[in-house]
């Protein structure tokens, strides 16, 4: 027969909240629920933020060499130089509780071939 499309339950509000040391909300950023990974676990992830470049093994090794641990934190990783699945698996292996992937304008060709993001990004 014909393949059936996969359907997923619609996500509710997806937000990123920046919280200060005392727990006060500093900023709330609404995220596109369509951009949220359908296979991610439901719930909340709370922790500090660790920048892990592209999330490659050598990037994570450099963090460890500098004494920086991702354990219990969210990792901020650039898209590119590996699949999103590889990045999330590596971050989880390093103990991260969540991953935020972003397209860096330096890695993305914009209008005229220069760095930048498209209008729908």
């Amino acid at each position: 027969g014909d393949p059936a499309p996969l359907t997923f339950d619609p996500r509710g509000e997806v937000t990123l909240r920046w919280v200060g040391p005392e727990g006060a909300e500093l900023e709330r950023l609404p995220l596109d629920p369509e951009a949220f990974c359908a296979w991610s676990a439901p719930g909340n992830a709370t922790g500090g933020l660790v920048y892990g470049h592209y999330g490659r093994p050598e990037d994570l090794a450099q963090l460890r060499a500098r004494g920086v641990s991702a354990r219990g934190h969210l990792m901020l990783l650039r898209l590119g130089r590996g699949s999103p699945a590889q990045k999330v698996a590596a971050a989880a292996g390093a103990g991260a509780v969540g991953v935020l992937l972003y397209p860096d304008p330096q890695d993305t060709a914009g209008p005229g071939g220069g760095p930048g993001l498209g209008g729908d990004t």
Side-chain angles (χ1 to χ4, degrees):
D2 291 333
L6 294 174
T7 58
F8 301 102
D9 293 332
R11 295 252 180 208
E13 180 186 8
V14 180
T15 58
L16 176 64
R17 293 177 48 223
W18 296 110
V19 180
E22 304 299 319
E25 184 175 293
L26 302 176
E27 187 174 2
R28 179 183 296 245
L29 302 171
L31 303 177
D32 179 358
E34 297 299 317
F36 192 75
C37 179
W39 290 279
S40 61
N44 296 313
T46 301
L49 189 63
V50 174
Y51 175 69
H53 201 45
Y54 290 100
R56 300 168 298 185
E58 58 265 33
D59 298 327
L60 300 181
Q62 188 174 39
L63 285 176
R64 284 191 302 274
R66 292 178 175 191
V68 177
S69 173
R71 185 159 306 285
H73 297 292
L74 296 152
M75 289 203 77
L76 179 63
L77 303 175
R78 294 166 72 167
L79 288 169
R81 302 187 188 178
S83 75
Q86 290 170 321
K87 296 171 186 301
V88 170
V97 296
V99 177
L100 299 169
L101 299 171
Y102 75 98
D104 190 305
Q106 294 288 47
D107 296 329
T108 307
L117 300 175
D120 63 345
T121 304

